[in-house]
Structures are given as C-alpha cells and as structure tokens.
Amino acid sequence: MESLITDPTDEDKVPCWAEIWPAARGLAQWIWKNATFAGDRLLELGTGLGLPGIICGIKGAQVTFSDFNPSALELVRLNATRNGLLDFCTHLGDWRDFKLPGKFRWVMGSDIFYDPKLNVYLKELIPRVTADGGNVLIAHPGRPASFRFVEELMEVAGFDEQHQVVPVTIEDPYFPYYEIHIHHIKLNSQV
C-alpha cells in the first residue's frame, strides 16, 4: 500500500482502498450469515477492494460499488468479475458532491465513518440514497467517531438499530484481533 502513496500530505491521495481492512472482513462475515437479497439494489460507499459488496452480489444483490478513486473501482471490477458477479456497476463519486440517481434498498460502508469532517456529508447522503424503509449497514472497529455517526444518523433518519460485534483475526504480529461493530439500521419510511 505504501508504494501507492503519491502525496502523504493530501488525505485524499492516501490509498486506504488498497487494503482489505478488518471492518470489511467483519461486515462480509455478518452479511454471509445474516443477510439475504432477492435482487435488491445495494450501494457500497467507499468500496475499496469490494469484499462486502462482492459477498452481497454472491448472495443475490444488484451491487453498485462506489469510491472516489478510479483505481479502486478498476480493481473492484476485476475482483467482482473474478468472483462470478454479473449484475453490478461502479460509480466514481465523492461524498462531498455525490451525484448518483435512484435509491437503494441497502446502503453500506465499512470503516468509512471515522472522520467527522466527512461524516457531515455522509449524514446527508445516506438518507438521500436509501429507499423508504431501507437498510443501512455500518461496520467499524470501535471508533468513537463512528459510534457518534450512528447516533447522529439515528436522530436524523433511523427508527430501529441492531448492533452486533463480530470477532475478526488477521495476520498481523502486533494487532491480530479485532472486534468489529456491525450496526444494522432500518431507516424511517418518511425520510
């Protein structure tokens, strides 16, 4: 990942998309065990390499992978195709000015809700792109800003939240164990 950094002083140029983070692994596990899709439209925000979205596609969702980095979308197209997905598309979009028509039955993001400067945009964007009575999945490794974001989103749009913790182990000699928080939020139908 470090070899992809072109300007370490510009947060937008740090290639966070080039790694499968523990939260993506935890969300993928949760989806595999708990979610079903019968052709439902699903939007993955900040898709990176696309692991959770690919699992959703394997389970029958029509996935739109979204990221602001064209290289991430190039790799997610390759990953999705290699995993047999046929019904997917990609969207190049920045949350600060996100233009994607239509609404989705499911909207999700894994470990993207850590920056309060960007969460302001996500708090407006998620209710706008989620269908009435739709579902939002948020995964993170216990970040305080992510918990605050869930609380704020619930105040704006949510009516029901289920919270589970999924243990994840990765190959890392210093930080191999994670507890990934999965928030499944049903949005109000009047948003």
Side-chain angles (χ1 to χ4, degrees):
M1 188 166 88
E2 287 78 14
S3 66
L4 299 172
I5 297 174
T6 57
D7 183 357
T9 63
D10 185 348
E11 290 178 1
D12 285 347
K13 294 189 178 170
V14 176
C16 294
W17 56 267
E19 183 173 332
I20 298 178
W21 294 94
R25 294 169 192 260
L27 183 55
Q29 288 176 32
W30 186 91
I31 290 164
W32 189 255
K33 292 177 183 174
N34 298 290
T36 56
F37 310 97
D40 291 337
R41 293 185 71 221
L42 180 140
L43 172 64
E44 183 175 15
L45 296 166
T47 193
L49 297 176
L51 176 62
I54 289 169
I55 297 300
C56 292
I58 289 169
K59 292 195 75 177
Q62 296 176 359
V63 181
T64 298
F65 297 96
S66 175
D67 207 292
F68 79 102
N69 189 299
S71 296
L73 294 177
E74 185 178 317
L75 282 174
V76 82
R77 279 190 291 271
L78 179 64
N79 288 339
T81 302
R82 283 186 175 171
N83 283 280
L85 269 61
L86 301 174
D87 194 9
F88 73 91
C89 59
T90 60
H91 174 73
L92 182 64
D94 187 321
W95 306 326
R96 294 166 282 202
D97 186 29
F98 198 82
K99 293 184 173 45
L100 180 64
K103 299 239 181 200
F104 296 83
R105 184 87 182 126
W106 293 83
V107 175
M108 68 178 181
S110 60
D111 211 3
I112 62 170
F113 306 96
Y114 57 85
D115 186 345
K117 295 185 307 271
L118 293 175
N119 286 350
V120 171
Y121 300 101
L122 288 165
K123 189 169 64 172
E124 181 276 327
L125 181 141
I126 289 174
R128 183 168 44 87
V129 298
T130 306
D132 288 351
N135 301 273
V136 177
L137 293 174
I138 294 172
H140 63 92
R143 297 184 192 278
S146 299
F147 282 118
R148 278 193 301 279
F149 177 80
V150 169
E151 290 171 7
E152 292 171 4
L153 185 62
M154 289 293 294
E155 289 173 8
V156 170
F159 77 86
D160 183 34
E161 180 212 3
Q162 296 175 353
H163 177 202
Q164 289 181 285
V165 177
V166 175
V168 171
T169 303
I170 63 169
E171 292 184 25
D172 183 313
Y174 302 108
F175 299 103
Y177 305 109
Y178 289 84
E179 289 189 340
I180 303 303
H181 296 264
I182 309 293
H183 305 268
H184 179 193
I185 301 169
K186 294 283 279 179
L187 290 195
N188 286 323
S189 57
Q190 300 154 350
V191 174

